[in-house]
């Protein structure tokens, strides 16, 4: 008997409690920064594409929904010629983000990705590339790597000595 | 066999090898850098350290380098001992001190020996806090990309390039941290084997520039075992594909053929498959049509309705199956091999010599192990490049054999090279002009082809009195012949090398005579003939009439419809003749993959699959029959030539063709048709071969992008295409375990992502592949055969007044049809020229670069003069096959006019 009254009392109390149900889509939900949603490609602090087309995201992807082709600009900087994610296959596991050595590929909290047609879920580089640095500001892969690119010669990366003149006889 | 103990477990290993080799052959993991199975040990990198114990009670032991330690009976070592592990990890740490943070943008990433070894030793954090040394890169030509920052100074590149391949322009320079591997001045690498640096370099200093254009990681490549189509040696290759495009060639180890290396023409020539000269759609009367296979075949068959006047011209660069299909279609009496009368004669002569024995046709590996070499008429570097590399190894054998009393093991590379310095074994070379091998030869002989043949006959006579003697030989040549005969006689394994490149029957017969004379007294001798194209030997097996007869047939009206299979007639016959022939043909049907002069005015052109897009069988110069497999799945309108011919035959109600459903059907039919061949031989596992009921995957397990690659066209992933021709699947799905050696489509083993993983596919390091090396030799003459000597000794070369004797010259990049259309190779193709020595040039009153008119028989061409002083007087050289060159029937007399 007492237990029944207790239960009814709890239910009555809940009627006045804070509601968890959100009136989506009229009401927008709060997006947590660590939520794994729509994937983007970010840019480095200089505003250039961060992606160096290393293929690690596509190799890490358990559903093989990322494909790309590497190419180079005239100064030797590598970037993806195309970069395609088939979101109709993506499981938002975040392994691509973990595999990315340049912080280029990132998962955002945006989850609103329903489409009436599946082909619309195939995102190309133009759809993926954002204009900012995303979650990891400041990192610039080419400033760390030994490769020469436009406006960065050999020996100008972080922690690098001047290039060696191998014809000099002195040790 | 000796017993060694590794980490307290006993193992039986072969004597005479070093410990590292033994450990790797046992399938154990031990990291290394400077050691390479083909280059031997130098003990430079200190990476393969293990602990050796004196006896069972020794708990301390001392550190030794496995690559420098011969295996000894009862030896006790430990790979896993903490001290050894720590030592190896610290070595890697040192090597990585200056290594740039490049892996994501490095082409070696994913197949990098340095990555593998770093993971294997467990080094994962850079403690070094100071600055990294940097280097500037050099331009090294169209094949190789240079990124010196990544160097770990293992010295493998210069050891391969200079010591093994005899190159000169790649050096090690400066010292300690400054060590630099490059050229003294930027420029194109001069060695024909520079492409091997890509595989030899354990990290990303030297990478493939042609792959870089469309860079793809190793794990994303769908690959298939293939056979090189750029010369007659038939080196085994791996073709890598991505997005329906061949993107690179890697060497496929086959101990009997190409071992660990291949030449640059083979490695970079593949780009012709992506050339804009490709035929990708059927063309009827000059109009590109959007037909499917069926309607294209139907339309073509209309041209063939009246079949009484149809002839077929086969090709030495087409597969056996394609040639056979054409032969069956037109009938034996209307089938032409695609070779000129002389080419046909020479190829068949070679085949009959090899079959009659008693000298064995030598494989590349046999040449490598020979200890005396005599080359008659071949410029190997340019006609059969890998033979050049094999000869360079062979000349070291005699001196190495001779120093066995000081007990230096063969693998102890630095010690042997130090001891021998420049000492070389017997190697004699007779060619009309300078070749790159000259500097390695004990003696060279410069003469016209007939005189070269006379030298050969003289050597044979010196070896065996009963062979025909050469009359009127100058004394110096006589002495040379005796010297050569003496060297060959004393050799353990002498090898004769000759071939078709001089287009002289006498030279070929002379080489056979030397081999036969050598074999007389129960001695053994090997013989190698090079042929011009990948399936020239197959053509000789299949037979077919000469091209000249086809010209006659059309001329006199017995034929009016011609089917030309993968062939540019202008490379096999005189221009005016071919012009006339093509003019006269009422219907010209061409099945090919590259546009050429022959197909220009064809009534029908059917797009054939190139080597990467289809399967087939080739016979190489030693008579080894080998299968190449399809790597990519092209546009459905492209199909193998034999399938086009089959489809046309079916349209014409030819019942034979209905049986040829897949490759195996026609391949069996070919073998059945060849005379003297056991039709039961297995070239490669048949299409219904399965392991655990599974196909063998072409792509590695970590193949990526399956659900996105073609999502821009359709989100419904296509089903992987079926392959009715082979047990390989177009996918990463299938049996992941060990596969038959002829189906190896990539080399990979757990922990070994780089090409060094090939050791896991071998029975022992540098030995046969597990399950035997692929390919079947069709020619095995008996030892007891005693064929007659050839007796037609040519007269000595007599110059003619006001005329020159023209001999063919060859270029590794330029003389071969297919590789000329490859983007990178075409950069190195020289312009056509006429070669004369200085005296001859002065006599004619011309100097270097002057344009002169050359007329040989009916053919004429205007060429700039190039002074080549190695040519004998009164002899002029004409480069074969260069773009813009015409065909001449050489050697022949002709005139030069200003």
């Amino acid at each position: 008997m007492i237990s029944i009254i207790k239960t009814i009392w709890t239910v009555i109390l809940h009627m006045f409690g804070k509601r968890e149900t959100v009136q989506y889509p009229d009401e927008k939900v709060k997006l947590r920064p660590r939520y794994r949603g729509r994937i983007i490609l970010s840019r480095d602090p200089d505003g250039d594409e961060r992606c160096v087309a290393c293929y690690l995201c596509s190799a890490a992807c358990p559903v093989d929904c990322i494909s790309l082709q590497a190419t180079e600009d005239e100064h030797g900087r590598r970037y993806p010629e195309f970069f395609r994610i088939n979101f109709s296959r993506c499981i938002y596991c975040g392994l691509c983000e973990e595999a990315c050595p340049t912080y280029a590929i990132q998962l955002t909290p945006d989850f609103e990705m329903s489409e009436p047609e599946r082909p619309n879920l195939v995102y190309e580089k133009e759809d993926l590339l954002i204009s900012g640095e995303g979650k990891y500001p400041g990192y610039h892969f080419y400033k760390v790597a030994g490769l020469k690119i436009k406006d960065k010669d050999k020996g100008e990366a972080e922690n690098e000595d001047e290039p060696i003149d191998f014809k000099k006889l002195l040790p | 066999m000796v017993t060694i103990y590794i980490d307290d477990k006993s193992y039986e290993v072969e004597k005479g090898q070093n410990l590292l080799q033994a450990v790797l052959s046992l399938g154990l993991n031990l990291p290394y850098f400077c050691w390479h199975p083909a280059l031997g040990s130098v003990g430079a990198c200190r990476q393969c350290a293990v602990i050796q114990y004196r006896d069972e009670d020794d708990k301390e032991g001392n550190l030794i380098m496995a690559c420098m330690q011969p295996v000894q009976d009862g030896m006790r070592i430990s790979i896993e001992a903490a001290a050894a592990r720590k030592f190896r990890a610290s070595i890697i740490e040192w090597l990585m001190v200056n290594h740039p943070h490049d892996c994501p943008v490095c082409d070696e990433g994913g197949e990098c020996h340095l990555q593998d070894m770093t993971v294997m030793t467990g080094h994962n954090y850079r403690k070094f806090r100071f600055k990294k040394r940097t280097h500037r890169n050099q331009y090294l030509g169209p094949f190789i990309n240079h990124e010196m920052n990544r160097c770990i100074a293992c010295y493998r590149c210069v050891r391969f390039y200079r010591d093994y391949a005899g190159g000169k322009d790649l050096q090690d320079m400066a010292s300690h941290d400054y060590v630099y591997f490059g050229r003294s001045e930027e420029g194109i690498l001069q060695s024909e084997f520079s492409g091997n640096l890509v595989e030899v370099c354990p990290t990303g200093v030297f990478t493939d520039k042609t792959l870089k254009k469309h860079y793809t990681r190793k794990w994303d490549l769908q690959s298939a075992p293939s056979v090189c189509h750029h010369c007659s040696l038939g080196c085994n290759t791996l073709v890598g594909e991505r997005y329906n495009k061949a993107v690179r060639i890697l060497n496929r180890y086959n101990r009997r053929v190409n071992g660990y290396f291949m030449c640059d023409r083979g490695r970079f020539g593949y780009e012709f498959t992506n050339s804009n000269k490709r035929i990708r759609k059927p063309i009827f009367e000059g109009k590109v049509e959007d037909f499917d296979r069926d309607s294209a075949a139907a339309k073509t068959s209309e041209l063939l309705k009246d079949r009484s006047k149809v002839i077929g011209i086969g090709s030495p660069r087409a597969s056996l199956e394609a040639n056979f299909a054409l032969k069956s279609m037109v009938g034996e009496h209307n089938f032409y091999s695609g070779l000129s009368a002389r080419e046909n004669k020479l190829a068949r002569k070679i085949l009959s010599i090899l079959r009659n024995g008693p000298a064995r046709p030598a494989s590349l590996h046999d040449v490598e192990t020979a200890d005396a070499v005599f080359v008659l008429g071949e410029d190997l570097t340019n006609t059969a490049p890998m033979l050049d590399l094999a000869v360079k190894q062979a000349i070291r054998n005699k001196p190495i054999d001779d120093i066995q009393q000081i007990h230096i093991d063969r693998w102890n590379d630095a010690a042997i090279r130090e001891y021998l310095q420049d000492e070389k074994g017997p190697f004699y070379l007779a060619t009309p002009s300078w070749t790159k091998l000259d500097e390695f030869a004990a003696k060279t002989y410069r003469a016209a082809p007939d005189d070269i043949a006379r030298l050969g006959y003289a050597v044979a006579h010196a070896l065996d009195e009963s062979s025909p003697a050469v009359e009127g030989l100058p004394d110096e040549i006589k002495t040379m012949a005796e010297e050569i005969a003496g060297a060959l006689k004393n050799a353990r394994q002498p090898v004769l090398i000759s071939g078709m490149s001089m287009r002289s029957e006498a030279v070929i017969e002379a080489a056979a005579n030397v081999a036969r004379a050598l074999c007389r007294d129960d001695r053994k001798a090997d013989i190698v003939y090079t042929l011009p194209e990948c399936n020239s030997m197959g053509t000789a097996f299949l037979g077919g009439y000469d091209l000249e007869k086809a010209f006659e047939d059309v001329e006199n009206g017995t034929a009016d419809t011609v089917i030309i299979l993968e062939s540019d007639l202008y490379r096999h016959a005189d221009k005016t003749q071919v012009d006339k022939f093509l003019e006269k043909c009422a219907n010209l049907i061409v099945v090919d993959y590259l546009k050429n002069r022959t197909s220009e005015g064809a009534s029908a052109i059917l797009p054939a699959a190139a080597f990467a897009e289809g399967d087939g069988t080739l016979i190489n110069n030693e008579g080894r029959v080998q299968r190449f497999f399809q790597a990519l799945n092209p546009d459905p309108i492209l199909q193998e030539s034999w399938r086009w011919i089959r489809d046309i035959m079916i349209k014409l109600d030819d019942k034979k063709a209905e049986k040829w459903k897949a490759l195996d059907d026609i391949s069996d039919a070919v073998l059945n048709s060849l005379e003297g061949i056991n039709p039961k031989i297995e070239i490669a596992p048949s299409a219904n071969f399965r392991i655990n009921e599974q196909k063998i995957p072409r792509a590695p397990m970590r193949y990526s992008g399956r659900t996105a690659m073609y999502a821009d066209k359709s989100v419904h992933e296509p089903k992987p295409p079926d392959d009715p021709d082979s047990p390989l699947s177009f996918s990463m799905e299938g049996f992941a375990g060990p596969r038959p050696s002829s189906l190896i489509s990539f080399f990979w083993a757990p922990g070994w992502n780089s090409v060094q993983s090939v050791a896991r596919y071998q029975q022992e390091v540098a030995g046969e592949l597990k399950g035997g090396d692929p390919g079947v030799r069709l020619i095995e003459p008996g030892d007891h055969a005693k064929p007659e000597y050839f007796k037609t000794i040519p007269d000595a070369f007599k110059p003619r007044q006001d005329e020159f004797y023209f001999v063919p010259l060859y270029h590794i990049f330029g003389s071969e049809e297919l590789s000329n259309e490859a983007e990178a190779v075409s950069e190195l193709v020289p312009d056509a020229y006429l070669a004369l020595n200085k005296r001859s040039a002065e006599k004619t009153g011309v100097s270097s670069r002057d344009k002169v008119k050359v007329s040989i028989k009916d053919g004429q061409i205007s060429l700039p003069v190039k002074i080549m002083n190695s040519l004998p007087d009164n002899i002029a050289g004409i480069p074969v096959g260069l773009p813009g060159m015409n065909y001449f029937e050489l050697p022949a007399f002709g005139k030069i006019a200003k």
Side-chain angles (χ1 to χ4, degrees):
Chain A
M1 186 67 191
I2 294 174
S3 72
I4 290 171
I5 293 168
K6 224 172 156 183
T7 316
I8 291 170
W9 180 242
T10 312
V11 171
I12 289 168
L13 273 185
H14 271 295
M15 286 170 68
F16 302 99
K18 187 175 162 270
R19 306 218 165 168
E20 292 297 332
T21 312
V22 177
Q23 291 306 311
Y24 181 84
D26 295 338
E27 201 180 313
K28 291 293 175 201
V29 286
K30 181 169 166 50
L31 302 174
R32 309 279 167 184
R34 280 168 57 187
Y35 186 82
R36 300 195 305 263
R38 179 172 58 91
I39 299 169
I40 54 102
L41 288 174
S42 63
R43 292 177 188 271
D44 66 24
D46 293 346
D48 294 321
E49 271 175 62
R50 254 183 183 156
C51 176
V52 299
C54 72
Y55 292 97
L56 287 182
C57 51
S58 72
C61 180
V63 289
D64 288 344
C65 74
I66 306 178
S67 81
L68 64 149
Q69 175 60 56
T71 188
E72 274 178 5
D73 71 6
E74 67 270 37
H75 306 286
R77 182 186 170 119
R78 191 163 278 186
Y79 66 96
E81 190 181 348
F82 71 84
F83 193 107
R84 185 179 306 132
I85 299 182
N86 181 355
F87 279 111
S88 71
R89 289 284 184 212
C90 181
I91 57 168
Y92 305 94
C93 64
L95 288 182
C96 51
E97 181 172 351
E98 286 189 37
C100 182
T102 67
Y103 292 141
I105 194 163
Q106 298 176 12
L107 275 76
T108 65
D110 177 19
F111 61 90
E112 294 166 314
M113 295 195 70
S114 46
E115 292 279 353
E117 301 279 340
R118 269 180 74 200
N120 296 346
L121 283 166
V122 177
Y123 279 38
E124 298 289 338
K125 191 166 90 178
E126 301 73 59
D127 313 319
L128 296 164
L129 205 58
I130 61 162
S131 53
E133 296 169 59
K135 288 186 269 186
Y136 310 103
Y139 186 69
H140 194 315
F141 171 77
Y142 279 109
K143 288 259 159 75
V144 191
L147 222 57
K148 177 183 158 182
I149 53 161
K150 192 186 174 206
D151 299 331
K152 192 208 90 176
D153 200 359
K154 290 279 175 192
E156 288 177 4
E158 283 171 25
N159 245 333
E160 273 189 355
D161 263 333
E162 284 282 289
I164 279 157
D165 175 9
F166 62 86
K167 289 185 179 164
K168 207 169 67 178
L169 284 174
L170 291 171
Chain B
M1 285 303 234
V2 292
T3 309
I4 61 170
Y5 299 87
I6 304 173
D7 291 311
D8 290 329
K9 258 188 175 162
S10 76
Y11 296 93
E12 293 277 304
V13 298
E14 206 71 55
K15 248 197 329 217
Q17 52 180 342
N18 63 56
L19 194 54
L20 176 60
Q21 248 176 316
V23 165
L24 293 172
S25 295
L26 290 171
L28 302 170
N29 286 341
L30 182 57
Y32 61 86
F33 286 109
C34 67
W35 176 82
H36 183 284
L39 305 179
S41 314
V42 288
C45 71
R46 318 313 280 170
Q47 187 59 63
C48 60
V50 293
I51 301 277
Q52 184 179 17
Y53 303 100
R54 267 191 316 268
D55 48 43
E56 271 171 83
D57 305 324
D58 185 3
K59 294 281 177 270
E60 281 285 297
N62 32 347
L63 212 54
I64 55 160
M65 296 308 135
C67 73
M68 297 304 284
Q69 203 71 27
V71 289
Q72 286 151 352
D73 201 17
M75 190 177 205
R76 296 186 159 270
I77 61 150
S78 170
I79 297 173
E80 297 300 327
R85 291 179 71 107
K86 202 173 152 209
F87 183 88
R88 294 197 299 260
S90 64
I91 290 291
I92 284 267
E93 194 169 356
W94 274 110
L95 294 176
M96 296 293 278
V97 154
N98 288 315
H99 197 72
H101 192 68
D102 265 4
C103 296
V105 287
C106 173
D107 288 3
E108 195 83 355
E111 49 182 323
C112 175
H113 190 56
L114 181 60
Q115 277 180 345
D116 290 348
M117 296 300 103
T118 309
V119 172
M120 199 179 280
T121 54
H123 165 70
N124 52 20
Y125 188 74
R126 187 171 183 264
K127 284 185 277 184
F128 188 74
R129 292 296 155 120
F130 302 94
K131 290 190 165 177
K132 293 178 179 182
R133 64 108 178 84
T134 58
H135 283 296
R136 291 200 183 282
N137 305 327
Q138 292 182 324
Y139 167 76
L140 297 178
F143 298 148
I144 303 290
N145 189 61
H146 193 220
E147 188 61 47
M148 249 319 280
N149 277 359
R150 298 168 188 160
C151 181
I152 55 163
C154 71
Y155 282 74
R156 263 190 187 193
C157 53
V158 286
R159 285 176 59 216
F160 168 76
Y161 197 90
R162 300 178 72 86
D163 296 349
Y164 192 91
K168 290 208 171 52
D169 56 327
L170 186 84
Q171 282 137 335
D172 41 332
M173 288 172 279
S175 62
H176 71 101
D177 242 12
Y178 300 170
V179 174
Y180 190 89
F181 297 92
R183 289 167 54 94
S184 55
E185 297 293 337
E186 276 202 320
I188 296 165
L189 284 174
Q190 296 299 305
S191 173
E192 292 76 16
F193 308 100
S194 63
N196 293 304
L197 293 175
V198 175
E199 290 184 50
V200 167
C201 178
T203 172
V205 178
F206 301 101
T207 49
D208 185 337
K209 229 183 207 172
T210 65
L211 171 65
K212 203 179 166 69
K213 289 179 207 159
H214 27 234
Y215 182 65
T216 307
R217 295 266 179 228
K218 179 183 183 179
W219 63 68
D220 278 347
L221 291 177
Q222 173 175 284
S223 312
S226 191
V227 174
C228 181
H229 274 54
H230 302 292
C231 87
S232 64
L233 298 179
C235 292
N236 291 194
T237 58
L238 292 170
V239 194
E241 174 267 1
R242 184 77 177 170
Y243 300 117
N244 275 337
K245 204 170 164 186
V247 295
R248 78 145 165 212
I249 296 276
L250 272 189
N251 179 55
R252 177 161 62 97
Y253 180 89
N254 179 334
R255 188 176 71 123
R256 286 276 143 212
V257 189
N258 47 325
Y260 288 92
F261 306 115
M262 62 186 295
C263 76
D264 288 358
R265 183 158 87 191
R267 189 181 294 270
F268 303 109
Y270 78 92
E271 281 187 298
F272 83 84
T273 60
N274 305 325
S275 139
N276 52 17
K277 280 201 181 165
R278 277 303 296 279
I279 302 163
R280 295 194 180 277
K281 291 243 162 80
I283 303 171
F284 290 97
E285 303 297 350
K287 217 172 132 243
V288 180
E289 302 279 6
D290 253 328
F291 285 158
D292 61 1
R293 285 172 179 178
D294 194 60
S295 38
K299 179 131 196 212
T300 314
S301 67
E302 279 166 27
L303 300 169
L304 296 164
K305 275 278 142 46
D306 171 28
R307 294 182 68 189
S308 59
K309 285 186 166 186
V310 179
I311 60 170
I313 299 180
S315 164
R317 68 166 155 93
S319 66
L320 279 180
E321 289 81 4
N323 276 306
F324 175 78
L326 184 60
K327 191 176 171 182
S328 316
M329 176 180 182
V330 296
E332 202 169 332
H333 297 292
N334 296 316
F335 178 68
Y336 299 80
S337 63
L339 301 178
S340 68
R342 188 177 301 185
E343 288 171 318
N344 249 341
K345 195 169 165 195
L346 297 179
R348 282 169 202 172
K349 174 125 260 169
I350 288 173
L351 178 59
S352 83
I353 290 172
L354 294 181
R355 278 188 153 166
N356 290 336
R360 245 165 31 96
S363 68
L364 276 170
H365 180 75
D366 297 330
V367 176
E368 262 173 39
T369 56
D371 61 344
V373 184
F374 182 25
V375 177
L376 281 149
E378 284 294 304
D379 176 4
L380 294 179
T381 324
N382 293 308
T383 59
M386 280 303 287
L387 262 175
D388 161 295
L389 196 62
V391 167
K392 281 173 185 157
Q393 311 320 309
I395 54 170
R396 297 184 63 233
N397 288 333
K398 181 154 184 344
I400 293 176
D401 288 348
D402 290 348
I403 57 159
Q404 280 320 300
Q405 71 273 16
I406 61 163
H407 304 299
I408 306 180
D409 284 306
R410 221 198 138 93
W411 45 260
N412 201 338
D413 191 54
I416 286 195
R417 284 188 195 275
E418 194 67 30
Y419 191 88
L420 292 180
Q421 295 292 325
D422 270 344
E423 213 172 304
K424 293 181 188 85
F427 166 39
Y428 298 91
L429 186 60
T431 50
S433 68
W434 178 86
T435 75
K436 266 195 151 182
L437 278 170
D438 276 16
E439 57 176 304
F440 301 94
K443 276 230 169 83
T444 56
Y445 178 50
R446 293 285 101 86
D450 279 352
D451 285 338
I452 291 172
R454 284 166 69 83
L455 173 71
Y457 275 105
V459 173
H461 183 69
L463 283 164
D464 179 8
E465 295 274 308
S466 66
S467 82
V470 187
E471 303 294 326
L473 209 59
D475 281 344
E476 48 175 322
I477 308 300
K478 229 181 234 166
T479 355
M480 193 197 281
E482 271 154 24
E483 184 190 328
I484 297 171
L488 294 176
K489 207 176 199 168
N490 291 327
R492 151 179 67 78
Q493 188 195 341
V495 62
L496 274 299
I497 303 177
S498 185
M500 268 174 77
S501 78
M502 276 305 111
R503 304 183 161 258
S504 154
E505 198 176 1
V507 171
I508 290 169
E509 290 180 350
N513 262 18
V514 180
R516 285 171 185 181
L518 269 171
C519 291
R520 274 296 141 112
D521 308 318
D522 281 338
R523 275 190 304 261
K524 291 222 162 117
D526 287 344
I527 192 158
V528 183
Y529 285 110
T530 70
L531 291 100
E533 287 180 78
C534 59
N535 203 20
S536 293
M537 187 59 100
T539 315
F541 268 98
L542 276 173
Y545 294 111
D546 309 334
L547 212 44
E548 283 83 346
K549 190 173 171 290
F551 297 163
E552 270 169 41
D553 285 355
V554 170
E555 179 69 40
N556 58 31
T558 43
D560 63 358
T561 301
V562 182
I563 306 170
I564 298 180
L565 171 73
E566 302 182 22
S567 186
D568 181 4
L569 300 185
Y570 286 94
R571 295 181 66 91
H572 296 281
D574 182 59
K575 184 171 176 295
T576 43
Q577 263 183 313
V578 182
D579 283 344
K580 214 162 84 191
F581 168 71
L582 296 179
E583 185 96 333
K584 264 254 161 160
C585 289
N587 291 311
L588 183 66
I589 297 158
V590 172
V591 185
D592 207 340
Y593 37 83
L594 281 175
K595 283 182 195 144
N596 54 37
R597 283 181 288 177
T598 307
S599 59
E600 260 165 29
S603 337
I605 307 178
L606 297 173
F611 77 98
E613 297 144 4
D615 318 72
T617 312
L618 302 176
I619 305 181
N620 81 351
N621 70 325
E622 53 158 328
R624 183 182 298 271
V625 54
Q626 303 188 104
R627 174 75 38 89
F628 61 93
F629 291 101
Q630 185 175 356
L632 61 101
N633 217 37
D635 193 20
I637 190 69
L638 263 71
Q639 60 178 349
E640 290 100 336
S641 300
W642 69 262
R643 284 204 152 92
W644 276 120
I645 295 165
R646 177 201 62 185
D647 291 355
I648 298 168
M649 283 168 87
I650 290 173
K651 293 275 172 230
L652 293 168
D653 284 330
D654 194 328
K655 293 278 173 280
K656 273 182 292 213
E658 280 163 17
K659 280 184 280 175
W660 304 336
K661 296 226 158 41
L663 183 77
D664 286 334
D665 307 325
I666 185 158
S667 173
D668 288 346
V670 178
L671 286 180
N672 275 316
S673 79
L674 294 181
E675 240 174 87
I677 300 299
N678 174 12
K680 295 256 155 21
I681 54 167
E682 192 183 58
I683 305 163
S686 70
N688 47 31
F689 173 85
R690 298 285 184 277
I691 303 179
N692 292 351
E693 290 171 25
Q694 287 174 301
K695 279 202 155 201
I696 314 293
R698 278 184 172 83
M701 233 177 327
R702 195 45 276 173
Y703 190 75
S704 80
R706 265 222 296 195
T707 63
M709 282 170 81
Y710 304 111
D712 56 335
K713 295 185 190 82
S714 160
V715 279
H716 306 285
E717 287 91 39
K719 169 176 171 286
D722 285 329
D723 186 354
D725 296 330
S726 78
L728 295 162
S729 70
F730 284 107
S731 140
M732 73 288 242
E733 285 162 4
F735 182 69
R739 51 176 81 192
S741 61
S742 50
L743 297 178
I744 293 171
S745 58
F746 53 85
F747 289 109
W748 179 88
W752 299 81
N753 298 297
S754 76
V755 283
Q756 312 295 327
S757 56
V758 66
R760 290 287 189 268
Y761 289 76
Q762 297 164 336
Q763 293 176 9
E764 55 182 5
V765 165
E768 234 178 280
L769 287 169
K770 283 176 184 160
D773 286 322
V776 183
R777 263 164 71 108
L778 298 181
I779 312 171
E780 292 290 0
D783 287 338
H784 307 294
K786 273 212 173 144
E788 288 287 301
Y789 284 113
F790 291 106
K791 293 203 173 67
T792 35
I793 303 175
D795 291 334
F797 167 67
K798 269 193 226 70
R800 286 189 200 164
Q801 196 71 36
D802 300 328
E803 279 195 30
F804 278 91
Y805 194 55
F806 289 88
V807 295
L809 299 177
Y810 294 84
H811 289 273
I812 177 171
F813 307 121
S815 292
E816 197 262 334
E817 185 180 357
L818 302 177
S819 59
N820 278 1
E821 302 305 330
E823 198 183 332
V825 170
S826 67
E827 278 184 44
L828 300 184
V829 173
D831 290 331
Y833 60 86
L834 167 80
L836 287 173
N837 74 11
K838 208 164 163 224
R839 258 197 309 268
S840 307
E842 275 165 10
K843 209 174 81 184
T844 346
V846 293
S847 50
S848 184
R849 290 198 203 95
D850 283 359
K851 276 249 173 184
V852 292
K853 254 203 210 98
V854 175
S855 37
I856 306 167
K857 284 179 196 154
D858 306 331
Q860 277 175 350
I861 193 167
S862 168
L863 293 169
V865 172
K866 185 174 163 186
I867 301 297
M868 194 181 274
N869 281 327
S870 60
L871 278 169
D873 288 345
N874 302 308
I875 289 182
I878 289 232
V880 171
L882 298 190
M885 276 300 295
N886 290 338
Y887 175 88
F888 293 105
E889 184 84 33
L890 299 176
F893 280 100
K895 285 204 168 85
I896 298 173
K898 267 203 265 190

